[in-house]
Structures are given as C-alpha cells and as structure tokens.
Amino acid sequence: MKAIGQFTITNICDVVASETAPENPYVGQLWVDTSASPPETKIWNGAEWVVQNDIETLRTTISILTTKSAELQSTIDGLNSYVGTMTETIETVSDNLGNEHQTVLEMQAQMSQLQQTIDGLTVQVTNQYAGGLNFIQNSAGLNGISDDWVKTGTVTVDTSTDTQNNTTSDSCFVLGASSTLKQTVTGLVTGQSYAFSLRAKKTGSSYSSYIRVQYNGNKYAYFFNQTTTFGWQDFSLVIDDITDSTVVFYIYNRIASLYVSDIMMVEGPTVHNWTPAPNEIYTNEVKIDKHGIAVSNAASSQRTVITNTEFAGYYNDEVIFTLNKDETQTKKTTVDGELTVGKTKFVPMSTASEGLNIVILD
C-alpha cells in the first residue's frame, strides 16, 4: 500500500507586495506597501512595520543640515568682520605705540639735559638723613655709642666699605664677645600694632647670638636666636597686642662679632625703610639730635659741640676751648691785633722785634 503526502516550500526571503500587510509576519519580513504613492518598503521589527529608506525623514534631515550650514556661514561672516575690525584696532594701537615711543625718546632727551644741569651744580649734599617715624634713637650708630643705649662689653661703630655697601645708613654697631646693647622705648600707644626691622651680620659660630623685643612686661619676640653665621640679612617682626606703653630692644652677642644696623621701630603693622628718629639729622660732618649739635671737619680733625651740658671745641679728642659757667677756658689763644683785658690794652708794635705796648685805660 502506497502512502501519499503533500508539502509546500515557502521562500522566507520573498518580499510581499500588497495593499494590506501580510498576516503572521516574522521578524525581518519585508513588505512593499502598494497602497502608498509611491510604494513604501517596510520591515517587521516584531512589534510594527517600519518604513525603510524614509525619503521624508532624509529630506527633513537634509533641510536641517542646510539651515545649520547657512547659520554657520553667517557666523563665519561675522567672525571675519570682527577680525577685520580687530586688525584695524591693532593697527591703530601700533600707530599710538609709535607715537608713545617718540614721546619716551623726547622725555629721555629732556632727562639727559636735566641730568647735565644737575651735574653742573656747584652745591652738593651727600649722605644726608632726616628724621622720620623711627622710635629708636641713634638707630645705626651715626652718633657713636650715645647714652641712648645701655651697653656691656665691647661695642663699637663701623663705617667700613662693607657696611656702606650693605646698609642704608652706611653705619652699624659692632658687638664683640659677651657684649650687649639695650634701649628702652616709652610712651607707646596701647592697643596699637608696632613693626620692627633691622639688618644684621653674624661672623662667629658655635655660640648663640640673638636680638629680641621685650613687651607687655615679660613677653619676648625674637628677630633671630641662632649659633650659625650669616651674611647681611633683613629681619623684621610685627607685634599686634601691645598692652604696655614700654618696650625694651635688646641685642646679645656671645662670641666674635655681631653687626647690627638700620634698626627701625614704627607705629602700625607695616615695615618701613630705615630713617633716623625724629629730630635727628645726620650728614657727613653735621650731627643734630636731642642731645645737641656736633659740627666736625675730618680734614682738620676739628669738632665743635653744643649741647645742654657743653659748649666746646675739640682738636682730635682734646678740648681746646670750653664755656664753664661765666668764663671761657682755652688751651691756646692767638690774637691778631689788639687785646683788651679789663682796663688794660695790649697793642703789638708794627714789627715783632719792637715788642708790645701795654696801655692802662681810664
């Protein structure tokens, strides 16, 4: 007995073209929808038919891109215009700089003429310092080791080339081994800040040297406290909480030499460049401070001193004349002409060999 069967072969790659969607579609099946004009090719994604090669979408995208391209071109045109304006501005600035350069050259020429005028002046003042804000008296030893300072040990003043090259005042204190220098400052405003500064150089090691400010009774602020050596350096500190109107500035050196100069103390929190204290004026040969006036002549080794305790003339360190109450004391006196003492007049003759006439006055 023969068995007879029948089967149908379906090409799953067939594209269905119809006005209605195929029934029971499988994922990926293609359908040409002939109901649309022009016909649209669609694919089944498992949930719905999706148009392939959507011309309208492409057209929309192309339209958007065209609009963006036009906007970009407009932006580029605006940038080109801005660059052109900037170029004109730069050219204008360059022209102005050229004019300014010419002005600077003219000013330099005028400065040169002014410098030549200054160089031609016959009056010259050098190394002159006028007092300012400084609370420290004789703050660089320009008036020697005055009684503004209390010292122990060996303390001298140095004005060597090294000191002049490294200080504003051209002068400094030099503390030898186991030496101290102290100054007490009174009359400060409580509740105010004070700034301190100085320059120093330490030449000996192994032992400590220090500089400090004692304030508010028993508080200390140190500029430095060290054993190692150092070259000329600036040191400064600010004390904000002053509650006592008195401070003590103290320098201590243990061994070798400690150089200290340009000591400055000012009211306020800002460190200032060095100046002498108020009422202190120092030039090369004139010194004026609260003690009085000293006028010297280095070439002749002469010095005249006027203070509240002394009116005297010196040759080197020897007193030649001095005012002592109601009399003037002199070591040597030369009179060129007549000399009257009381009622007696001494008249030199025309020649020295003829001697001297003594005349008794009525």
Side-chain angles (χ1 to χ4, degrees):
M1 181 177 183
K2 293 184 179 179
I4 298 173
Q6 183 178 358
F7 61 91
T8 302
I9 298 176
T10 303
N11 186 355
I12 63 175
C13 294
D14 289 344
V15 178
V16 177
S18 63
E19 293 183 352
T20 59
E23 297 181 357
N24 302 317
Y26 52 85
V27 176
Q29 183 175 359
L30 296 176
W31 168 46
V32 178
D33 184 359
T34 58
S35 64
S37 181
E40 295 178 339
T41 301
K42 301 180 180 180
I43 187 171
W44 180 258
N45 63 3
E48 61 180 345
W49 292 98
V50 180
V51 176
Q52 299 295 302
N53 301 326
D54 188 353
I55 299 300
E56 292 301 324
T57 301
L58 291 176
R59 287 174 178 171
T60 301
T61 301
I62 291 172
S63 176
I64 293 173
L65 291 177
T66 301
T67 302
K68 293 294 184 182
S69 177
E71 293 175 353
L72 177 60
Q73 184 62 48
S74 177
T75 302
I76 292 173
D77 292 340
L79 288 175
N80 288 336
S81 176
Y82 179 73
V83 170
T85 302
M86 288 296 295
T87 302
E88 293 177 359
T89 302
I90 292 173
E91 290 175 350
T92 302
V93 171
S94 297
D95 292 340
N96 291 337
L97 287 176
N99 295 334
E100 292 296 332
H101 180 67
Q102 182 63 34
T103 302
V104 170
L105 292 177
E106 293 175 357
M107 291 177 63
Q108 289 176 343
Q110 294 173 1
M111 288 294 293
S112 176
Q113 294 175 359
L114 178 60
Q115 184 62 48
Q116 293 173 9
T117 302
I118 293 174
D119 293 340
L121 294 177
T122 57
V123 178
Q124 183 177 9
V125 178
T126 59
N127 296 336
Q128 178 174 330
Y129 305 107
L133 306 172
N134 200 350
F135 281 79
I136 303 297
Q137 305 292 322
N138 191 22
S139 53
L142 286 168
N143 200 20
I145 311 298
S146 63
D147 58 7
D148 301 298
W149 295 94
V150 177
K151 74 177 182 73
T152 64
T154 302
V155 181
T156 59
V157 172
D158 179 71
T159 57
S160 65
T161 301
D162 177 67
T163 298
Q164 294 179 12
N165 289 341
N166 290 280
T167 65
T168 302
S169 60
D170 294 342
S171 176
C172 73
F173 296 107
V174 183
L175 282 74
S178 301
S179 299
T180 65
L181 203 56
K182 180 178 72 173
Q183 184 171 144
T184 301
V185 181
T186 60
L188 304 186
V189 178
T190 57
Q192 179 62 274
S193 300
Y194 287 86
F196 301 79
S197 60
L198 56 87
R199 288 184 66 80
K201 177 179 74 170
K202 187 175 184 296
T203 61
S205 59
S206 301
Y207 291 94
S208 179
S209 298
Y210 62 81
I211 302 179
R212 72 187 185 195
V213 176
Q214 182 179 350
Y215 68 102
N216 293 352
N218 58 357
K219 289 187 177 181
Y220 298 95
Y222 285 82
F223 290 91
F224 62 84
N225 183 2
Q226 64 187 75
T227 59
T228 56
T229 62
F230 55 83
W232 284 107
Q233 290 186 29
D234 291 315
F235 298 89
S236 63
L237 56 87
V238 176
I239 300 177
D240 295 319
D241 53 344
I242 291 291
T243 59
D244 191 324
S245 61
T246 299
V247 301
V248 179
F249 187 89
Y250 189 80
I251 307 172
Y252 170 80
N253 184 51
R254 177 68 176 82
I255 195 171
S257 297
L258 177 65
Y259 296 74
V260 184
S261 181
D262 297 351
I263 305 169
M264 191 76 176
M265 173 186 174
V266 296
E267 185 174 343
T270 304
V271 175
H272 289 253
N273 293 330
W274 176 85
T275 62
N279 302 319
E280 290 184 353
I281 298 176
Y282 299 112
T283 68
N284 286 342
E285 296 185 337
V286 177
K287 297 178 181 179
I288 302 175
D289 59 15
K290 67 178 183 179
H291 301 289
I293 303 172
V295 181
S296 61
N297 187 329
S300 62
S301 301
Q302 298 177 102
R303 177 166 51 98
T304 302
V305 178
I306 303 175
T307 68
N308 61 344
T309 60
E310 180 183 25
F311 180 13
Y314 289 81
Y315 177 69
N316 292 323
D317 290 328
E318 182 181 9
V319 178
I320 303 303
F321 72 87
T322 185
L323 182 65
N324 183 15
K325 295 183 179 178
D326 60 347
E327 65 179 18
T328 301
Q329 299 175 351
T330 63
K331 184 172 183 179
K332 296 178 181 180
T333 302
T334 299
V335 179
D336 186 10
E338 299 178 357
L339 173 64
T340 301
V341 180
K343 292 185 177 297
T344 305
K345 178 184 289 188
F346 300 88
V347 182
M349 301 300 291
S350 57
T351 60
S353 61
E354 293 179 349
L356 181 71
N357 280 335
I358 300 176
V359 179
I360 304 300
L361 303 176
D362 294 335

